[in-house]
């Protein structure tokens, strides 16, 4: 499956270039909430990172913008840019063959929290703002983006917590292989909100020194047949060869989760026809969560034993913990690294993305760099 485009918004800014530079520096950006008016609503810790300079009105226009959640706005802008057309003209691009597949946890945490709070603080539980109701639905962002862009193909939202980005990739890959679409905008986004920050503050689940971030990425996936019809000279950014998910019984303990993840990676590599020693980059997804980074690292060491161990590309310490958007940003980080053209990355040909959920779910994806 070919990845022919990528639009990314992160704490580093917009685009793969900004992401590559941030990863090269290896330090998080220094910024707070996007809306300074609500800065006082956030807990004293963790530190928070927002997407800088995000101006949705420039792409979507101002009409109806206030009714969209920040997640809706991020997804709609990213999808419009991924198609390479202004939003008002994107409806003419194969609408029946182009769809959207997004990963998420609950959608907009802020809108859900505000809506539920209103049912308690208003005079009657049903005295809520009805215009806010669509924003509490899990599939709000994917649905609104498709409507704005006139896309009538596959439209799906997959809930999966830290594995949501990988679940979306797997869903999209299967849909394309089954012939249900020719092109899918696939990714995951997470917005920054006081509700989400307080949840992490109360849980104390963030690893030391890791901020809470927002953002995500939309990747344009299409079949090799569709790529063959692209203009001569163009080539994919990368190819998605496999995406596997699994589950470990929590009764087996953390060691059982590590073993299950190792098995998942081995299966994905075998189905991809990629040997462990050919993998140059491993992108862990649990680097931002206290205690889980070691579980993931133990699995990687089990699979990639020997001197030729892959380089660990740690995304969370730079972009912050982004929950359900982690998988999409991990893939964007690989693309940014390969597009950067550094001398130390020119010979890299394969990368493995991994993810671990707190309930024992595990997943991985294998991507390779196109020849030439």
């Amino acid at each position: 499956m070919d990845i022919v485009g990528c639009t990314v918004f992160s704490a580093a800014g917009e685009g793969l270039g900004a992401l590559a530079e941030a990863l090269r520096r290896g330090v998080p950006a220094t910024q707070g909430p996007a809306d300074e008016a609500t800065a006082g609503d956030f807990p004293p810790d963790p530190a928070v990172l927002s997407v800088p300079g995000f101006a949705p009105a420039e792409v979507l226009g101002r009409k109806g913008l206030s009714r969209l959640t920040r997640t809706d706005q991020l997804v709609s802008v990213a999808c419009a840019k991924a198609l390479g057309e202004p939003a008002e003209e994107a409806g003419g691009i194969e609408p029946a063959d182009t769809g959207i597949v997004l990963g998420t946890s609950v959608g907009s945490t802020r809108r859900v929290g505000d809506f539920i709070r209103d049912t308690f603080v208003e005079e009657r539980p049903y005295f809520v703002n009805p215009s806010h109701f669509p924003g509490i639905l899990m599939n709000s962002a994917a649905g609104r983006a498709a409507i704005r862009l006139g896309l009538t193909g596959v439209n799906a939202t997959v809930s999966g917590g830290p594995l949501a980005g990988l679940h979306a990739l797997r869903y999209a890959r299967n849909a394309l292989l089954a012939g249900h679409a020719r092109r899918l905008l696939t990714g995951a986004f997470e917005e920054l909100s006081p509700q989400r920050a307080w949840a992490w503050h109360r849980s104390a689940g963030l690893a030391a020194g890791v901020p809470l971030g927002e953002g995500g990425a939309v990747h344009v996936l299409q079949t090799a047949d569709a790529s063959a019809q692209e203009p001569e000279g163009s080539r994919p950014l990368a190819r998605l060869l496999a995406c596997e998910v699994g589950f470990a019984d929590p009764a087996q303990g953390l060691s059982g989760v590590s073993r299950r993840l190792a098995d998942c990676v081995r299966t994905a590599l075998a189905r991809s026809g990629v040997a462990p020693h050919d993998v140059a980059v491993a992108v862990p997804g649990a680097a931002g969560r206290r205690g889980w980074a070691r579980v993931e690292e133990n699995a990687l060491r089990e699979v990639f034993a020997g001197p030729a161990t892959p380089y660990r590309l740690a995304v969370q310490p730079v972009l912050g913990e982004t929950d359900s958007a982690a998988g999409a940003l991990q893939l964007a980080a690989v693309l940014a690294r390969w597009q950067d053209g550094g001398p130390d990355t020119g010979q890299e040909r394969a990368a493995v993305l991994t993810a671990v959920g707190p309930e024992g779910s595990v997943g991985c994806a294998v991507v390779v760099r196109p020849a030439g």
Side-chain angles (χ1 to χ4, degrees):
M1 205 58 56
D2 289 348
I3 303 171
V4 298
C6 174
T7 298
V8 56
F9 288 100
S10 69
E14 178 185 350
L16 293 176
L19 178 55
E21 183 179 353
L23 292 172
R24 213 168 33 241
R25 292 196 311 266
V27 294
T30 54
Q31 52 189 339
D35 185 0
E36 294 301 326
T38 64
D41 297 334
F42 284 78
D45 63 275
V48 295
L49 304 176
S50 61
V51 175
F54 180 62
E58 295 179 2
V59 177
L60 305 177
R62 296 192 177 278
K63 184 178 180 180
L65 196 63
S66 62
R67 296 190 178 187
L68 301 182
T69 68
R70 187 165 175 86
T71 300
D72 294 340
Q73 295 173 8
L74 286 165
V75 170
S76 294
V77 172
C79 287
K81 287 179 173 288
L83 288 175
E85 295 265 352
E88 64 271 16
E89 300 176 7
I93 303 179
E94 303 175 0
D97 292 330
T98 303
I100 299 176
V101 179
L102 288 182
T104 186
S105 290
V106 297
S108 172
T109 308
R110 180 170 195 160
R111 182 60 58 84
V112 171
D114 287 344
F115 196 86
I116 293 175
R117 182 179 184 274
D118 285 346
T119 67
F120 287 97
V121 301
E122 296 295 337
E123 185 177 352
R124 292 286 187 269
Y126 48 83
F127 286 175
V128 295
N129 189 337
S131 68
H132 288 173
F133 181 75
I136 73 172
L137 302 178
M138 189 178 70
N139 65 335
S140 171
R144 289 180 185 270
I147 291 171
R148 279 184 172 264
L149 299 174
L151 305 179
T152 58
V154 173
N155 192 276
T157 301
V158 188
S159 177
L163 272 77
L166 293 185
H167 280 302
L169 283 175
R170 180 177 171 84
Y171 187 107
R173 183 173 182 271
N174 290 340
L176 288 168
L177 290 175
H180 298 310
R182 293 187 59 221
R183 176 172 54 181
L184 289 175
L185 309 181
T186 309
F189 275 85
E190 194 77 58
E191 67 183 28
L192 183 64
S193 67
Q195 290 85 344
R196 182 166 157 253
W198 275 105
W200 278 101
H201 173 73
R202 295 292 188 185
S203 70
L206 281 177
V210 176
L212 190 65
E214 77 166 350
V218 164
H219 306 282
V220 184
L221 268 63
Q222 62 187 32
T223 61
D225 292 342
S227 296
Q229 299 177 18
E230 296 290 332
E232 186 176 353
S234 63
R235 68 188 183 102
L237 300 176
R239 288 194 169 95
L240 175 66
L241 298 186
C243 191
E244 300 293 326
V245 295
F247 180 77
D249 184 352
Q252 298 177 354
L254 296 182
S255 60
V257 178
S258 289
R259 290 193 299 270
R260 185 66 184 90
L261 178 58
D263 290 341
C264 193
V265 174
R266 291 192 189 97
T267 300
L269 290 174
R271 292 182 175 177
S272 304
V274 176
H277 60 78
D278 291 328
V279 177
V281 183
V283 194
R289 287 177 283 129
R290 189 186 305 275
W292 289 99
R294 181 175 295 276
V295 174
E296 206 170 21
E297 179 61 24
N298 289 342
L300 291 173
R301 288 180 179 178
E302 182 178 337
V303 176
F304 302 107
T309 183
Y311 170 75
R312 303 297 196 268
L313 181 58
V315 178
Q316 287 78 15
V318 178
L319 303 183
E321 173 57 46
T322 53
D323 303 331
S324 62
L329 286 173
Q330 287 169 253
L331 179 53
V334 173
L335 300 181
R337 180 177 174 84
W338 288 348
Q339 292 293 304
D340 192 35
D344 56 337
T345 66
Q347 300 303 313
E348 296 177 354
R349 287 294 174 263
V352 166
L353 289 62
T354 59
V356 178
E359 80 292 348
S361 57
V362 297
C364 70
V366 178
V367 293
V368 296
R369 197 175 198 168

